Amino acid sequence: MSQLTRTFVGNGTPYHYLVQISTALLLVLAANTAFADFPRLGSILAAIASRRITSSSAGRLAFTTGIVVLALLSTLLIVAFSGSVTNLIPLYTVGVFVAFTLSQAGMVRHWWKLRGTEGGWRWRGA
């Protein structure tokens, strides 16, 4: 983004800084979404896989374990790629798109199930 912005508006212009700040905020929000929703998704998948209703303490344990697993996997990737941002960015991009796609697919499925009981489901699903 920085290279494109510099090409079109020049380096050091207010618009260039606006684009850089907006990009940084977007990346922070995307990372936060993945870290916030991955453990929840993991605990839901664990409950489905076990085919039993978990107690609230077991659900919290699965959520906490999901956070720890995600942190360990992140650390492993950083070590494996020697902290090279250039090599990690494509993985980050794929992760963000997968997280958003799975999240939105789940919401569309939820709205599809509620289609007869709730208005506006077509608009939200689209």
Side-chain angles (χ1 to χ4, degrees):
M1 289 301 296
S2 179
Q3 291 173 342
L4 286 172
T5 306
R6 276 192 306 237
T7 300
F8 289 113
V9 298
N11 195 12
T13 64
Y15 185 72
H16 175 75
Y17 289 120
L18 175 68
V19 169
Q20 296 313 304
I21 292 169
S22 300
T23 302
L25 288 174
L26 179 66
L27 292 174
V28 167
L29 288 173
N32 182 46
T33 300
F35 270 87
D37 287 338
F38 176 77
R40 186 177 305 127
L41 177 63
S43 66
I44 291 169
L45 290 176
I48 292 170
S50 68
R51 298 282 186 221
R52 63 183 171 87
I53 299 174
T54 60
S55 67
S56 63
S57 63
R60 284 192 300 271
L61 179 61
F63 187 79
T64 303
T65 303
I67 292 172
V68 171
V69 167
L70 188 58
L72 290 174
L73 287 173
S74 299
T75 303
L76 180 69
L77 284 173
I78 290 170
V79 170
F81 284 91
S82 301
S84 170
V85 175
T86 304
N87 292 331
L88 287 168
I89 289 290
L91 292 175
Y92 175 78
T93 304
V94 169
V96 167
F97 280 113
V98 168
F100 282 140
T101 302
L102 288 175
S103 175
Q104 289 304 307
M107 289 305 298
V108 168
R109 184 170 182 234
H110 170 74
W111 291 322
W112 180 258
K113 284 182 179 180
L114 296 177
R115 67 184 178 270
T117 62
E118 202 173 288
W121 66 272
R122 285 187 182 111
W123 171 253
R124 285 186 238 148

